[in-house]
Amino acid sequence: MTSSSQSETSSAETTYRRVMLKISGEALMGDQGFGLHPPTVQRIAHEVKTVHDMGVEICMVIGGGNIFRGLQGSAQGMERTTADYMGMLATVMNALAMQSALEALDIHTRVISAITMNEVAEPYIRRRAVRHLEKKRVCIFAAGTGNPYFTTDTAATLRANEMKCEAIFKGTKVDGVYDMDPAKHAEARRYDVVSYDDVLAKRLGVMDASAIALARDNNLPIIVFSLDEPGGFRGILAGKGTYTKVQG
């Protein structure tokens, strides 16, 4: 069997053909309180590789909260627009770190920035990004939407729609969406499926309201799962695992 036919077979066995993986910047910190933890970045890259090996086309958006969070900077007296642009630059740093880890695993990766910085990343051109995905390159979208006042959750949902992804995978520290904080309440109940409207009405904290509304308006499902569970990303794409699905 040729490699292309193997890829087609692998893709046929998965639930989705093209997906967006959204993770927070904090996910790259490991046990540190700040910055990048290279072993953690490498572990997440391995998780991405297991899905890439299935023939799935992968986009990524990584937050910047491990380096700088615009909203916190604004709360401390910094002008909001300036703080948000600083947060966007933090996402570029994280994207470059993930690109390095993925390419060490022989996965061709492109960092695509909403803010022009040709020396380190490609500018965002939708058709070019789609072509990268068709060539089985991982695309990491950095610098948010390129606009202040929008979160990386909204950026991930926007890019997922533009790339015609079939789902957003939101990697977190818990294995789904709960009716209350499971770290504080032993009786917390996990949803198998929850509607966009319930997420908004009950303020379940999956993503910010703009991202949820954008996903709802385009009927784009959101899969919330634990990024700390080894093989969890691949397992869900193979129809297994524990997660919550947000849909209409």
Side-chain angles (χ1 to χ4, degrees):
M1 182 181 289
T2 65
S3 59
S4 62
S5 61
Q6 285 175 337
S7 177
E8 290 169 4
T9 301
S10 298
S11 185
E13 294 170 353
T14 65
T15 310
Y16 301 103
R17 184 184 62 86
R18 179 180 294 171
V19 300
M20 165 66 72
L21 175 62
K22 168 63 173 69
I23 61 177
S24 67
E26 288 88 343
L28 306 185
M29 293 191 309
D31 294 330
Q32 302 174 154
F34 180 81
L36 288 158
H37 183 236
T40 299
V41 177
Q42 292 161 12
R43 178 183 62 79
I44 295 173
H46 277 283
E47 292 289 319
V48 173
K49 182 181 188 302
T50 63
V51 172
H52 183 268
D53 288 346
M54 299 171 78
V56 177
E57 297 170 5
I58 305 169
C59 312
M60 294 183 69
V61 168
I62 307 171
N66 57 317
I67 299 171
F68 187 88
R69 186 179 293 277
L71 198 56
Q72 290 177 350
S74 177
Q76 294 173 10
M78 185 176 291
E79 196 272 323
R80 174 65 188 271
T81 301
T82 299
D84 279 356
Y85 277 119
M86 291 174 66
M88 291 179 214
L89 296 178
T91 72
V92 177
M93 296 173 68
N94 285 339
L96 291 172
M98 184 58 64
Q99 179 186 42
S100 177
L102 287 168
E103 291 191 335
L105 299 174
D106 295 324
I107 298 175
H108 295 294
T109 307
R110 296 291 185 273
V111 173
I112 301 173
S113 174
I115 298 174
T116 303
M117 47 183 78
N118 292 330
E119 288 76 12
V120 297
E122 292 185 8
Y124 176 68
I125 300 172
R126 187 183 66 84
R127 290 181 181 272
R128 180 184 292 175
V130 169
R131 186 61 179 147
H132 286 321
L133 293 172
E134 291 171 347
K135 291 182 176 180
K136 305 303 179 185
R137 297 167 181 160
V138 172
C139 290
I140 306 176
F141 296 107
T145 65
N147 306 103
Y149 295 94
F150 289 93
T151 67
T152 51
D153 281 344
T154 301
T157 310
L158 173 64
R159 297 294 186 236
N161 280 302
E162 290 179 304
M163 295 297 106
K164 300 189 183 302
C165 292
E166 296 164 359
I168 298 174
F169 278 71
K170 176 71 182 288
T172 69
K173 291 186 177 297
V174 293
D175 58 358
V177 180
Y178 286 77
D179 58 356
M180 59 185 77
D181 188 346
K184 298 178 180 178
H185 303 277
E187 69 276 19
R189 182 175 64 88
R190 184 181 59 80
Y191 296 96
D192 289 326
V193 179
V194 64
S195 70
Y196 303 111
D197 289 338
D198 279 348
V199 168
L200 291 172
K202 297 177 181 179
R203 299 187 177 186
L204 295 177
V206 176
M207 288 180 162
D208 66 74
S210 297
I212 295 295
L214 184 57
R216 179 191 61 193
D217 293 347
N218 291 278
N219 198 30
L220 180 66
I222 303 167
I223 310 295
V224 183
F225 72 106
S226 173
L227 196 63
D228 292 337
E229 179 67 27
F233 188 19
R234 177 186 174 92
I236 295 169
L237 281 155
K240 307 173 185 177
T242 303
Y243 58 90
T244 296
K245 186 175 186 179
V246 182
Q247 61 184 18

